Amino acid sequence: MVQLDSKQTSTVMPEHSHLLKNKQPRIKNINSFALMFGIMIAMAILTYILPAGQYERVEIDGRTVVDPSSFTFIESTSVGFFDIFTSIHQGLVLGAPIILFVILFGGALGIMQKTGTIDAFIQALAIKFRHRQFIVIPILVLVFASLGALIGSAEDTLVYIAIVIPLMMVLRFDAITGFAIVMLGTLATGFTAGITNPFNVGVAQTISELPMYSGMGLRIALFTVMYVFTVFYIIRHAKKVQKNPELGIYGKFNPNDTVNLDVSSKMSIRHLLALLVLLGSFTLLIFGVIRLGWYISEICAIFILASIVMSLICRTTIDEMTKGFINGSKDMIEGALIIGFAQAILVIATNGNLIDTILYYVSSVLGNIPASVNAVGMLFLQMVMNFIVPSGSGQAALTMPILAPLADLIGVTRQTTVLAFQLGDGISNLVMPTSGVLLAGLSIAGISYTKWFKWILPYLGFLTLIAIVFIIIAQAIQYGPF
């Protein structure tokens, strides 16, 4: 039986917790860079096999559009062995605006983490609602979903697994309930819906030449539906565990151990003010994007400014701020480099004049298929691509330069194409063995991949159906502006 103790803390970190009992079975991760380098080599080989081709491009309302009647085959321009390696630097240069955006945004998040504001807020919520068992679940899911949808939180929420799981066990639930609150809230609902997520929607819309964060209304509706379904799925499981604890999945956590919760802990005034600054920055961002035409430079500026103001309020030292910025940027380096490698693949395809050839052949096959079917097909294509490129921004950098003009050719709106990308990427993150966030979270919770896969499979099926419905609706209403 778990008990409450007002003198102890519930923040049980995995490296020293008495609750962490069994070793997690090691799951061999697949190296994303090796996979992408393999694709670079394969793309270079294709320049010797496929004929080179070219479409003419025209400017329409400030965006570049393929002229569908202008395709011609041209002289082959094969890519040599040494060119494969020069394309890496060229890809990093080509993707520099997005790469720097991701790194700077990560630095701002790192400074915010140093203030302890988000940690204090989640701790305060956990304490306030500890006696309201089935109220705390939707509240915490909403918090994590908001972090994912608004600022693209993913890796940075892993630390909360070791806070939320003990709380769920105090409430006589199991480890997978706490793990699902964090993971399904952040990834399945928040990151996937991506209302103002800079790492999937922001990058994809930038590449597709769409106005930044346009089409927000449908994404808010998507967020709402996914949130309701996620809460229902978690509470349904939690009720089963409460009635019969033997149905629970506890991972490294022992249901018979005592978990202590510091009920005397309160959120400070400084943290409350800092939280208001963070919320205010979202309001300003939305206003600036919609009314003032702000883009990635202004978005970076807003969050860097907000992080500095939050630090001043919380009396964070300059040294701590600097370390927070460096650590936050460091966390984004892998994703940023993946963007560069994705661009390197496109450099090879462009130098070999293969992109237009691929567009020509694919559009010839898909041209007579209903646009809504093609849009749903893009969803499943992105799910498969997520195995190769588990980074959301990296996947956008690889696929959107091809899918955006393809969408024009087959009658799918570019905004619908972005929606298919974010849904395919987000949903598959919940089971892909190449997802570092998922594997790290499972390791912290001590839950085996096979148990997680079995538990999440029905949820995944229903979530995919929701995604298909929204994509069909998007295409039917010509989700745009284009």
Side-chain angles (χ1 to χ4, degrees):
M1 186 76 174
V2 288
Q3 299 173 346
L4 295 176
D5 187 332
S6 63
K7 297 180 181 179
Q8 303 295 327
T9 178
S10 69
T11 307
V12 186
M13 296 306 295
E15 62 267 23
H16 56 69
S17 171
H18 68 286
L19 294 177
L20 306 182
K21 299 290 184 185
N22 305 315
K23 278 196 172 183
Q24 166 77 355
R26 183 169 294 188
I27 302 172
K28 190 174 181 179
N29 200 3
I30 299 173
N31 191 290
S32 302
F33 291 98
L35 281 172
M36 296 191 72
F37 188 71
I39 296 174
M40 290 168 60
I41 294 172
M43 188 64 72
I45 292 172
L46 283 177
T47 64
Y48 291 89
I49 299 172
L50 293 179
Q54 199 170 61
Y55 277 110
E56 291 182 10
R57 264 72 173 175
V58 294
E59 290 286 330
I60 298 178
D61 297 328
R63 61 190 173 100
T64 305
V65 178
V66 170
D67 180 354
S69 62
S70 65
F71 181 81
T72 56
F73 289 107
I74 61 174
E75 184 179 351
S76 178
T77 52
S78 303
V79 173
F81 176 76
F82 189 67
D83 295 329
I84 296 174
F85 296 91
T86 60
S87 69
I88 296 174
H89 177 261
Q90 292 170 17
L92 287 166
V93 172
L94 187 64
I98 297 173
I99 290 170
L100 293 175
F101 170 66
V102 169
I103 292 173
L104 289 172
F105 199 94
L109 293 181
I111 296 175
M112 292 178 187
Q113 287 285 351
K114 278 292 182 181
T115 67
T117 301
I118 297 175
D119 288 25
F121 177 56
I122 291 175
Q123 279 270 54
L125 281 177
I127 294 166
K128 183 174 180 61
F129 295 100
R130 67 190 183 279
H131 295 309
R132 303 174 190 177
Q133 292 174 311
F134 293 106
I135 294 180
V136 70
I137 291 176
I139 290 175
L140 286 177
V141 170
L142 181 61
V143 170
F144 288 112
S146 298
L147 290 173
L150 299 177
I151 60 175
S153 288
E155 292 90 345
D156 49 311
T157 58
L158 289 174
V159 65
Y160 302 120
I161 292 172
I163 298 173
V164 176
I165 288 180
L167 171 64
M168 291 301 107
M169 296 183 68
V170 168
L171 301 178
R172 301 181 65 183
F173 300 139
D174 64 347
I176 210 165
T177 301
F179 180 75
I181 286 172
V182 179
M183 196 60 59
L184 299 189
T186 305
L187 294 183
T189 302
F191 198 95
T192 304
I195 298 172
T196 59
N197 185 336
F199 304 118
N200 60 0
V201 172
V203 173
Q205 288 186 332
T206 299
I207 294 171
S208 301
E209 300 182 44
L210 286 159
M212 182 68 91
Y213 298 140
S214 56
M216 197 180 297
L218 189 65
R219 292 199 299 277
I220 292 173
L222 173 66
F223 177 90
T224 304
V225 172
M226 296 177 78
Y227 167 74
V228 171
F229 175 66
T230 298
V231 169
F232 165 78
Y233 194 82
I234 296 173
I235 288 180
R236 181 173 172 268
H237 171 78
K239 286 183 176 179
K240 287 181 179 179
V241 173
Q242 193 179 55
K243 290 179 181 179
N244 185 1
E246 292 183 1
L247 296 176
I249 300 172
Y250 297 94
K252 294 179 179 179
F253 295 81
N254 190 328
N256 297 316
D257 282 342
T258 299
V259 179
N260 299 311
L261 190 68
D262 184 6
V263 297
S264 63
S265 176
K266 293 183 179 180
M267 192 173 182
S268 69
I269 296 296
R270 291 184 182 277
H271 282 143
L272 184 59
L273 290 174
L275 185 64
L276 292 175
V277 170
L278 180 58
L279 295 175
S281 68
F282 289 126
T283 304
L284 184 58
L285 180 148
I286 293 170
F287 174 80
V289 166
I290 294 174
R291 299 296 298 273
L292 304 178
W294 284 358
Y295 208 48
I296 54 178
S297 296
E298 291 83 1
I299 292 170
C300 274
I302 283 295
F303 279 97
I304 292 173
L305 178 60
S307 67
I308 293 172
V309 174
M310 290 169 67
S311 296
L312 293 174
I313 292 172
C314 295
R315 293 184 176 177
T316 307
T317 66
I318 293 177
D319 187 53
E320 288 173 330
M321 289 170 60
T322 303
K323 287 180 179 178
F325 184 84
I326 292 171
N327 289 334
S329 298
K330 191 188 302 180
D331 289 340
M332 298 298 169
I333 288 296
E334 182 176 346
L337 287 174
I338 285 177
I339 294 172
F341 269 66
Q343 291 292 315
I345 294 170
L346 295 171
V347 167
I348 293 172
T350 301
N351 291 342
N353 285 293
L354 286 188
I355 291 182
D356 285 0
T357 299
I358 294 170
L359 288 176
Y360 174 72
Y361 285 131
V362 174
S363 62
S364 298
V365 174
L366 300 179
N368 297 321
I369 299 174
S372 58
V373 176
N374 286 329
V376 172
M378 289 179 178
L379 166 71
F380 290 102
L381 172 64
Q382 295 290 1
M383 287 183 176
V384 173
M385 291 303 301
N386 197 28
F387 179 85
I388 301 170
V389 190
S391 162
S393 50
Q395 188 176 336
L398 176 62
T399 61
M400 295 313 297
I402 297 175
L403 291 184
L406 176 62
D408 296 335
L409 292 172
I410 61 178
V412 177
T413 69
R414 291 193 179 191
Q415 196 75 273
T416 302
T417 305
V418 170
L419 182 66
F421 150 71
Q422 69 188 79
L423 287 168
D425 168 56
I427 293 172
S428 57
N429 274 332
L430 301 175
V431 291
M432 280 295 173
T434 52
S435 173
V437 177
L438 174 63
L439 295 185
L442 288 172
S443 180
I444 292 170
I447 298 170
S448 71
Y449 178 83
T450 52
K451 286 184 177 179
W452 169 253
F453 186 85
K454 183 179 178 180
W455 186 85
I456 198 68
L457 200 56
Y459 176 88
L460 202 66
F462 280 106
L463 206 62
T464 303
L465 287 176
I466 292 171
I468 291 172
V469 169
F470 268 86
I471 288 173
I472 292 173
I473 290 172
Q475 185 58 32
I477 64 174
Q478 289 295 291
Y479 184 38
F482 50 81

